[in-house]
Structure formats: C-alpha cells, structure tokens
C-alpha cells in the first residue's frame, strides 16, 4: 500500500510492534527511508524540515476549553 506526501512516495509497512510505519524514497539515491529521518542514511541527503502541529491531547484540551467558555458566556448572556 502506498501514496505520496509532499511529492515523496510513501510506503506503509508493518513495524516490529505491529503498528504502521511510513517509509519514503530518497530523491537523491532512491533508498527507502523512515519518514521520521532527517537525512538519508545511505547518501546523507537532507529531507525537508517538518513543522509539527499540536498533539492530539493538546487539541482535545483546546476543544474542551472552548466548550467551557462557550457555555460560560452563553449562561452570562441569558
């Protein structure tokens, strides 16, 4: 199974622990590399820096805070 992210071909494979692990092909040498790698272990070509977004727990916390504030302000207005 595979697809492309940011023009990198991605292959999903089973890791040792049973979860899915994304593998990408190096644009320089074609070596299959983990999507978490900063550089290719074979040729040393750097991969683009990844901007990390908020974690799942942080998103849940932000949504809960938003819901609490919404109910608080709705109660004050009525």
């Amino acid at each position: 199974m595979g697809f492309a992210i940011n023009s990198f071909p991605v292959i999903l494979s089973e890791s040792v622990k049973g979860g899915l692990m994304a593998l990408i092909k190096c644009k320089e040498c074609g070596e299959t590399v983990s999507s978490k790698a900063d550089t290719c272990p074979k040729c040393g070509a750097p991969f683009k820096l990844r901007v990390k977004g908020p974690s799942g727990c942080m998103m849940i916390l932000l949504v809960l805070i938003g819901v609490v504030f919404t109910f608080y302000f709705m109660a004050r207005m009525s």
Side-chain angles (χ1 to χ4, degrees), residues 8 21-26 31-42 44-50 52:
F8 286 108
M21 180 176 80
L23 299 173
I24 60 175
K25 289 199 178 232
C26 175
E31 180 75 14
T32 302
V33 182
S34 168
S35 60
K36 294 183 179 182
D38 293 325
T39 60
C40 176
K42 184 176 179 183
F47 297 123
K48 290 183 181 178
L49 295 176
R50 293 164 190 82
K52 291 185 178 181

Side-chain angles (χ1 to χ4, degrees), residues 54-64:
S55 69
C57 293
M58 182 62 76
M59 290 301 294
I60 291 171
L61 179 64
L62 290 173
V63 168
L64 287 174

